[in-house]
Amino acid sequence: FLSQDDRRYFWGKGISKSGLDGLRKSMDHYFKAHFKESDEMNLGLAFHCRILEPSKYDDRFLYYHKLDGRTEEGKKQAKRIEKRKEELRKKNKYQKILKMDDHETVLGMEEALWNHPEAGPLFRDGGISEETVVWNNEKHGTLMKGKLDFRIPHEKVIIDLKTSSSAHIDDVTHT
């Protein structure tokens, strides 16, 4: 589930935190992406895209009500979905399929973020989304890289957008 830009970032020169995490486990983990796909992960990716790259959302995520392949309407909808997937493949775009409930959840999360008195203004404050930063670690002679979710240059603020199924402090605090 990597866009062209993501592929260039992850497989380009330099090492990222994700790369270092993989190396800590093994060389195999470094060279092979070990992402376990789940509905929760796709929901988080969809929310991330909806907030940080909204113009790409409809190219990256297909969403529809549950199909009933036994009905004429279900068969027509399945054909429309396959046609849309083929159009995206021809444009070298990628897509994930979201359940309609998950798509509606993403829209609700988006609305909640924009309406939040503190978070909403931060994301409307002229920031830069999905910015790649690169630097040399002189101590180790290594080219390092990172991808910032959102940076507000004039405020000197970097935001790492996360989702969680729980807002309990024990569930969202990690070391």
Side-chain angles (χ1 to χ4, degrees):
F1 184 63
L2 297 176
S3 70
Q4 285 299 108
D5 291 338
D6 286 340
R7 283 187 197 106
R8 269 189 234 108
Y9 170 75
F10 286 111
W11 298 112
K13 290 182 179 180
I15 190 161
S16 66
K17 167 147 180 348
S18 301
L20 291 172
D21 288 346
L23 276 174
R24 188 177 7 206
K25 292 178 184 177
S26 73
M27 289 303 283
D28 184 50
H29 283 85
Y30 174 72
F31 285 107
K32 295 180 182 175
H34 289 274
F35 296 109
K36 291 181 183 175
E37 217 172 282
S38 67
D39 288 344
E40 292 81 10
M41 182 180 181
N42 287 338
L43 183 77
L45 289 169
F47 179 63
H48 204 266
C49 182
R50 187 80 188 179
I51 298 304
L52 301 173
E53 301 177 289
S55 65
K56 297 178 181 179
Y57 185 80
D58 286 330
D59 284 342
R60 291 185 180 176
F61 298 92
L62 297 175
Y63 43 90
Y64 54 86
H65 293 285
K66 187 172 181 179
L67 297 176
D68 184 349
R70 299 170 297 175
T71 67
E72 203 56 40
E73 183 56 36
K75 291 175 186 175
K76 285 180 186 176
Q77 187 175 8
K79 284 182 182 178
R80 285 192 301 267
I81 289 167
E82 285 306 313
K83 182 179 177 186
R84 178 72 176 136
K85 285 168 76 174
E86 188 57 34
E87 288 170 2
L88 292 169
R89 272 196 278 292
K90 286 179 182 175
K91 292 179 181 177
N92 202 21
K93 306 241 177 176
Y94 64 98
Q95 67 280 325
K96 280 286 180 197
I97 297 175
L98 288 178
K99 298 175 195 167
M100 184 56 81
D101 289 350
D102 287 343
H103 169 65
E104 290 169 355
T105 297
V106 168
L107 297 180
M109 292 164 62
E110 175 188 32
E111 182 179 353
L113 184 139
W114 294 131
N115 290 329
H116 191 278
E118 293 176 24
L122 285 173
F123 283 93
R124 287 189 290 269
D125 202 17
I128 302 165
S129 295
E130 296 294 329
E131 181 180 34
T132 298
V133 293
V134 180
W135 68 98
N136 284 307
N137 180 319
E138 292 179 18
K139 179 179 177 183
H140 299 289
T142 306
L143 180 66
M144 306 295 293
K145 62 185 175 183
K147 199 165 192 181
L148 308 178
D149 286 348
F150 196 75
R151 183 171 69 90
I152 308 169
H154 65 278
E155 295 285 344
K156 297 182 180 166
V157 170
I158 296 172
I159 298 173
D160 189 13
L161 184 64
K162 297 292 183 199
T163 58
S164 176
S165 59
S166 168
H168 191 275
I169 191 69
D170 293 339
D171 295 330
V172 296
T173 304
H174 297 283
T175 56

